[in-house]
Amino acid sequence: MHHLRLIYLALITGLLIGCEETTPPPEDINAWLPLRVGTVDIVAQIAISPAEQQKGLMYRKSLPENGGMLFPYPTPRELSFWMANTPLPLDIGFFDAQGTLREIHRLMPYDTNPVRSRGQNLQFALEMPQGWFAKHALFQGQRLDMKLLREAMARRGAKPAEFGL
């Protein structure tokens, strides 16, 4: 019986040693990360790489409540999106480098005509279910929580400074 206790103690010790604190691996595109627009908490997947951004929400049949996808760009620019292979009706909010909502556009399922921003100085795009911005009274001038965005970008394995964060 005494040797069973020693084996048990050795197992517990091994587990505790294996639990030393380490940096968690970067989360992938499928991770739902907390963000905030104005006073509204959301979860978003963040499309960082060109391949992730090109795929976006293609083939998705649903999103969680208050869930969407954020597209960050390293520098401000004109933004353009289309809905190839995307069955969900969406709205897209375009934000400047300071995280201020500048434009909202409607995106129709499977529409391959590009929806271009009017502004040339936009750095973040947020796709949400159609009507979401209006439902939550989020209009031009509302802001992304940049602290949460920095944290989410880091969790995705991106370097926030490369996106001006």
Side-chain angles (χ1 to χ4, degrees), residues 143-162:
R143 305 243 353 219
L144 275 171
D145 183 316
M146 299 306 271
K147 179 180 183 284
L148 284 177
L149 180 55
R150 272 190 301 280
E151 292 168 2
M153 296 283 291
R155 284 180 58 186
R156 266 303 325 277
K159 295 178 180 161
E162 291 178 1

Side-chain angles (χ1 to χ4, degrees), residues 106-134:
R106 184 162 287 198
L107 301 173
M108 301 307 290
Y110 302 108
D111 188 355
T112 57
N113 295 310
V115 173
R116 287 181 170 41
S117 65
R118 292 181 298 278
Q120 305 288 316
N121 61 342
L122 302 164
Q123 195 162 348
F124 306 99
L126 178 63
E127 289 182 336
M128 297 296 287
Q130 202 165 82
W132 183 85
F133 288 93

